[in-house]
Amino acid sequence: MAAAAARRVSCSLLRRDHRHLLPLLRPFASSAGGQPQLTVETSVPFTGHKIDPPSRSVDTNPSELLSFFREMSLMRRMEIAADSLYKSKLIRGFCHLYDGQEAVAIGLEASITKKDAIITAYRDHCIYLARGGSLVESFAELMGRRAGCSKGKGGSMHFYKKESGFFGGHGIVGAQVPLGCGLAFAQRYLKEGTVTFALYGDGAANQGQLFEALNISALWDLPVILVCENNHYGMGTAEWRAAKSPAYYKRGDYVPGLKVDGMDVLAVKQACKFAKEYALQNGPIILEMDTYRYHGHSMSDPGSTYRTRDEITGVRQERDPIERVRKLIVSYELATASELKDFEKEVRKEVDEAIAQAKESPMPDPSELFTNVYVKGFGVEAFGADRKEVKAVLP
Amino acid sequence: MATTMALRSFGRRTSIAARGFSSSCETEKAAKDGKPINLFSAINQALHIALDTDPRAYVFGEDVRFGGVFRCTTGLADRFGRSRVFNTPLCEQGIVGFAIGLAAMGNRAIAEIQFADYIYPAFDQIVNEAAKFRYRSGNEFNCGGLTIRTPYGAVGHGGHYHSQSPESFFCHVPGLKVVIPRSPQQAKGLLLSCIRDPNPSIFFEPKWLYRLAVEEVPEHDYMLPLSEAEVIRQGSDITLVGWGAQLSVLEQACVEAAKEGISCELIDLRTLIPWDKETVEASVRKTGKLLISHEAPVTGGFGAEISASIAESCFLRLEAPVARICGLDTPFPLVYEQFYMPTKNKILDAIKATVNY
């Protein structure tokens, strides 16, 4: 039964069809065929800046909680697998891992549609997955293979998914925020009731272009939500060393803000839902997600030279997002601890299969070096070794 | 009160004495007695000396206090204190603007941009504020004490945003000096010259060589002249010009070409602007052929300037078109790095084609 379920759910992450999970639910769930509503309180209340924060009580249901658990475990497993692939040199270049911050990606996704746009910086593997990307495409892109989401030409920092409104995947810190405001500008014209979430980190919060973009967005009432994923370290620099005011949700000054516990997926969901409604009516709002990354800034950074191991293990014990959901599920008796462990085993298997499949994909063809520099057909010449023998008009 | 004032004027007096100009440096090669160290250690030594000899020198940038991502600033904060060696927040435009202001008040501001790929937010400050300060104020003000150090160039796995060579953008700006060392011993002398030069300079450090290049570097304070190219290999058949990490590739190509009987003269440009036209022209007048190689894309790269200039001055002497073996006209690729780079074989083919023209 479990194996058949695993095969059915194969690579696609966001199948909302969790009927195969219903046998695991306890008797009260099967009443009237509908899902029972659960109301859960967030870990801490929201703090608002120039706005009344939303309520602490979040509505959810069993299948949503179970899907949160599964998806976050998948992301966690993926990042850990990426760590070992990097160490065995199958992934090269730079690799920035998201484990610890999964709640932000999942909570955000749970509150919006695929027509809303998300844009983020380089810690983008899990956001890609949340937006509907597949594990195989993720791993293939990380390893620079043809089957990757950017055809192997982008790598870890440049995942994109046009159909789901995921605009990537950017290397230069802070540069994605004005872009995100531009996306919101376009959405305002389209009048489809969609918004853009522009994610950035606490390091990027000190970039000038962010304030320029914020000013314009506020002036023109753009439906953009700026989300600061505050993991408290800008690479090696702690937030109090880099920012005079580490209250990033207040930095917008005339733009309202909300501080959210980014390790609590239900709080994130509530805040993003609230922010979307607000932005569609009134223009920009800033969300500060108080979160934490277990790995260093990237795989080249051990992550322990500027913070203590006690701090990392402390956060892992007290605030881990997956553990939080696990406790909720077990306390509401939606599944037993051992059933959740089986989930995790399934997830592990899924990830291993995806890696194996991704490894089989070949490297892109050398001619791909020249494709997509310009639009196809606008030939630009490129030369071979001595500029005399070989000439190619770029496709 | 009187003591602090006395100390302050003492500091000013010693600093002026110690602040030599880069023209007053040893033109002869620095003595080859020293310990073998790598590039980041040589740069570290230069920074220690710079801060030691000038009490009004400051080093700052992202993450420099713990030693920097490439260990170039190790030990500086412990030795000279937090007020002289400090971290900045993540804003390149702010870092450079701040450095220009500091330099305008007569200090030596040594700003670090963590990777040359991130220098673009600061482009406006460098081009519009730093380069033109002395000119537009009629020499009333200047920011000569400004030096920007930044790692540039391919590193094997850097991808789009950790491998760029943006030197040619800055070569287009009169008022700046752009300097690129090829080795640890050169780096220490050139960096000290840049720091002490009374003009704003940008010092590009080839990141591939940080650990890879090891050389005997003298431990004392020495400077190498700016705007002087160095002929590092004598030859008679063709002149090769390059800078930074590319020189080691060019040198390998020279060795291979020598096996085929082609004698190559290799020149390290060292300073890109203002560049040493005389040395290159003298060499081309000797050989009649020129090949330029750099990692940046070929179109609009600095090789184009050298090529046009030499064509202008040595037109009748040239026996073959000037060859440029450079990066391709694409964004710096991720997995295709080995195809993009101007490798030894590409250079060798071009040498042969040019010599046999």
Side-chain angles (χ1 to χ4, degrees):
Chain A
M1 172 62 201
R7 251 173 272 135
R8 247 188 298 149
V9 188
S10 63
C11 294
S12 163
L13 178 60
L14 270 195
R15 290 251 197 109
R16 292 295 187 194
D17 168 21
H18 289 284
R19 281 187 296 239
H20 64 288
L21 298 172
L22 282 178
L24 297 168
L25 301 177
R26 296 293 174 261
F28 69 74
S30 52
S31 55
Q35 292 272 7
Q37 280 284 79
L38 297 169
T39 308
V40 184
E41 288 237 311
T42 62
S43 59
V44 290
F46 299 104
T47 328
H49 166 71
K50 299 210 167 141
I51 193 168
D52 287 323
S55 149
R56 234 180 123 169
S57 308
V58 186
D59 291 329
T60 180
N61 57 63
S63 91
E64 185 176 69
L65 283 176
L66 286 164
S67 79
F68 282 172
F69 181 82
R70 193 175 202 288
E71 285 155 21
M72 286 202 281
S73 304
L74 199 74
M75 290 178 175
R76 179 69 60 94
R77 196 69 240 135
M78 177 179 81
E79 296 296 69
I80 294 177
D83 179 314
S84 26
L85 283 176
Y86 190 90
K87 287 183 177 142
S88 47
K89 294 208 183 235
L90 280 162
I91 298 178
R92 309 220 51 225
F94 292 86
C95 190
H96 306 83
L97 299 176
Y98 200 72
D99 52 323
Q101 298 182 214
E102 299 89 353
V104 177
I106 297 288
L108 170 57
E109 195 55 42
S111 62
I112 57 176
T113 69
K114 288 286 185 291
K115 299 201 88 188
D116 296 306
I118 300 184
I119 190 169
T120 183
Y122 40 78
R123 213 176 290 278
D124 56 354
H125 310 160
C126 298
I127 310 245
Y128 171 73
L129 227 54
R131 288 259 91 180
S134 73
L135 282 172
V136 178
E137 284 176 317
S138 278
F139 283 114
E141 187 59 39
L142 286 171
M143 295 194 274
R145 308 294 174 102
R146 219 176 284 195
C149 50
S150 305
K151 304 192 183 62
K153 293 173 77 165
S156 158
M157 295 203 282
H158 307 287
F159 282 29
Y160 299 88
K161 196 158 177 68
K162 190 169 179 188
E163 316 83 76
S164 325
F166 180 46
F167 287 81
H170 297 267
I172 300 297
V173 170
Q176 74 277 10
V177 178
L179 246 119
C181 296
L183 297 173
F185 191 36
Q187 284 173 330
R188 189 133 198 263
Y189 276 109
L190 289 173
K191 295 194 177 68
E192 284 173 352
T194 51
V195 295
T196 300
F197 282 81
L199 276 59
Y200 60 98
D202 48 292
N206 300 312
Q207 277 277 324
Q209 48 191 326
L210 205 135
F211 296 96
E212 290 180 16
L214 205 57
N215 179 48
I216 295 179
S217 309
L219 206 56
W220 296 342
D221 294 323
L222 302 184
V224 62
I225 295 118
L226 270 67
V227 179
C228 178
E229 291 182 283
N230 182 8
N231 55 29
H232 307 284
Y233 293 94
M235 203 177 82
T237 308
E239 62 178 345
W240 56 272
R241 278 196 220 275
K244 178 74 180 169
S245 161
Y248 298 104
Y249 69 108
K250 288 191 185 165
R251 289 275 205 94
D253 183 22
Y254 41 83
V255 171
L258 207 61
K259 184 161 172 160
V260 185
D261 179 2
M263 304 296 251
D264 178 356
V265 61
L266 292 169
V268 173
K269 175 185 151 195
Q270 180 89 321
C272 293
K273 200 152 141 280
F274 174 78
K276 177 172 173 178
E277 280 159 23
Y278 179 88
L280 281 169
Q281 301 296 322
N282 305 306
I285 179 173
I286 298 182
L287 295 179
E288 180 187 337
M289 303 285 175
D290 187 345
T291 180
Y292 199 83
R293 54 167 163 81
Y294 298 139
H295 270 89
H297 165 76
S298 71
M299 286 305 299
S300 330
D301 171 29
S304 48
T305 50
Y306 48 86
R307 50 184 193 174
T308 58
R309 288 200 198 279
D310 289 335
E311 183 186 297
I312 305 172
T313 39
V315 175
R316 216 187 262 273
Q317 277 163 5
E318 316 262 312
R319 299 177 65 202
D320 185 82
I322 300 178
E323 287 316 302
R324 194 184 162 75
V325 175
R326 191 197 302 265
K327 285 191 194 112
L328 268 175
I329 292 176
V330 169
S331 74
Y332 276 102
E333 296 183 340
L334 307 176
T336 64
S338 70
E339 276 156 358
L340 293 178
K341 278 228 158 21
D342 288 335
F343 262 2
E344 289 182 306
K345 284 201 197 108
E346 260 175 51
V347 153
R348 207 177 179 124
K349 210 159 138 271
E350 206 174 307
V351 166
D352 289 337
E353 278 167 14
I355 295 179
Q357 207 180 327
K359 278 185 189 168
E360 283 167 23
S361 173
M363 290 289 216
D365 191 77
S367 66
E368 287 280 332
L369 170 56
F370 301 109
T371 56
N372 304 128
V373 178
Y374 292 96
V375 166
K376 215 166 177 166
F378 282 76
V380 175
E381 290 187 320
F383 300 96
D386 58 5
R387 293 192 100 227
K388 293 166 185 62
E389 297 293 323
V390 179
K391 267 190 199 177
V393 177
L394 293 189
Chain B
M1 184 62 196
T3 343
T4 30
M5 287 199 55
L7 281 171
R8 213 177 283 151
S9 59
F10 176 71
R12 241 178 260 133
R13 263 177 291 162
T14 47
S15 66
I16 290 170
R19 284 190 233 178
F21 288 116
S22 59
S23 49
S24 63
C25 53
E26 308 144 27
T27 44
E28 77 275 5
K29 274 215 165 63
K32 287 250 183 243
D33 60 346
K35 296 219 292 257
I37 54 172
N38 58 25
L39 185 66
F40 75 73
S41 308
I43 290 173
N44 189 241
Q45 273 187 24
L47 291 172
H48 273 273
I49 292 171
L51 289 175
D52 200 24
T53 50
D54 187 346
R56 292 175 72 187
Y58 306 88
V59 171
F60 49 92
E62 290 157 26
D63 302 303
V64 299
R65 267 228 349 243
F66 80 89
V69 285
F70 291 111
R71 326 280 315 128
C72 294
T73 48
T74 350
L76 289 173
D78 294 329
R79 191 165 158 212
F80 298 103
R82 293 171 176 216
S83 339
R84 293 181 68 195
V85 181
F86 50 89
N87 285 346
T88 58
L90 215 168
C91 36
E92 290 73 23
Q93 186 172 25
I95 292 171
V96 174
F98 177 79
I100 294 170
L102 202 59
M105 294 285 265
N107 302 294
R108 288 205 207 281
I110 307 166
E112 174 181 305
I113 299 290
Q114 200 163 74
F115 281 88
D117 313 55
Y118 311 155
I119 204 169
Y120 305 110
F123 196 68
D124 172 65
Q125 286 286 339
I126 296 171
V127 170
N128 281 330
E129 301 301 322
K132 302 177 167 71
F133 211 154
R134 192 190 292 272
Y135 187 83
R136 67 176 192 259
S137 68
N139 205 17
E140 207 175 321
F141 286 107
N142 71 80
C143 56
L146 171 66
T147 305
I148 298 173
R149 314 179 16 251
T150 179
Y152 89 104
V155 72
H157 54 268
H160 317 88
Y161 298 114
H162 296 83
S163 320
Q164 290 178 36
S165 303
E167 72 267 5
S168 70
F169 293 115
F170 299 97
C171 291
H172 194 50
V173 185
L176 293 179
K177 292 204 175 180
V178 173
V179 179
I180 307 185
R182 69 169 183 273
S183 74
Q185 190 237 4
Q186 292 287 312
K188 182 173 167 181
L190 288 170
L191 181 56
L192 281 167
S193 295
C194 277
I195 291 172
R196 292 170 179 159
D197 190 273
N199 294 294
S201 346
I202 307 184
F203 190 74
F204 286 102
E205 301 165 0
K207 65 172 85 73
W208 210 334
L209 301 182
Y210 273 137
R211 276 170 223 275
L212 235 66
V214 176
E215 203 180 15
E216 299 233 328
V217 178
E219 287 184 12
H220 62 90
D221 180 354
Y222 67 96
M223 296 198 287
L224 292 171
L226 295 185
S227 294
E228 267 187 42
E230 191 180 342
V231 180
I232 58 181
R233 192 187 166 100
Q234 297 275 355
S236 55
D237 289 330
I238 180 172
T239 303
L240 306 180
V241 174
W243 50 86
Q246 192 61 11
L247 279 167
S248 71
V249 182
L250 281 165
E251 189 138 27
Q252 287 170 32
C254 287
V255 168
E256 294 279 324
K259 291 183 195 155
E260 313 213 5
I262 303 176
S263 157
C264 304
E265 178 145 304
L266 184 55
I267 300 181
D268 176 9
L269 210 54
R270 299 204 296 190
T271 304
L272 265 62
I273 50 159
W275 63 286
D276 185 357
K277 290 192 184 136
E278 284 82 28
T279 305
V280 180
E281 278 172 21
S283 174
V284 173
R285 278 197 202 99
K286 187 167 65 159
T287 63
K289 300 169 212 77
L290 177 61
L291 181 149
I292 307 156
S293 184
H294 56 72
E295 280 175 27
V298 59
T299 300
F302 195 59
E305 160 63 30
I306 301 174
S307 175
S309 189
I310 294 296
E312 216 178 292
S313 55
C314 307
F315 182 70
L316 291 174
R317 177 68 186 90
L318 281 170
E319 297 170 10
V322 175
R324 287 181 293 159
I325 302 303
C326 308
L328 301 172
D329 285 332
T330 69
F332 198 99
L334 182 63
V335 293
Y336 302 110
E337 191 169 320
Q338 66 269 43
F339 297 114
Y340 169 92
M341 294 287 283
T343 53
K344 174 192 80 170
N345 287 331
K346 286 188 193 176
I347 296 171
L348 199 54
D349 278 351
I351 291 176
K352 288 190 266 191
T354 310
V355 166
N356 298 323
Y357 186 74

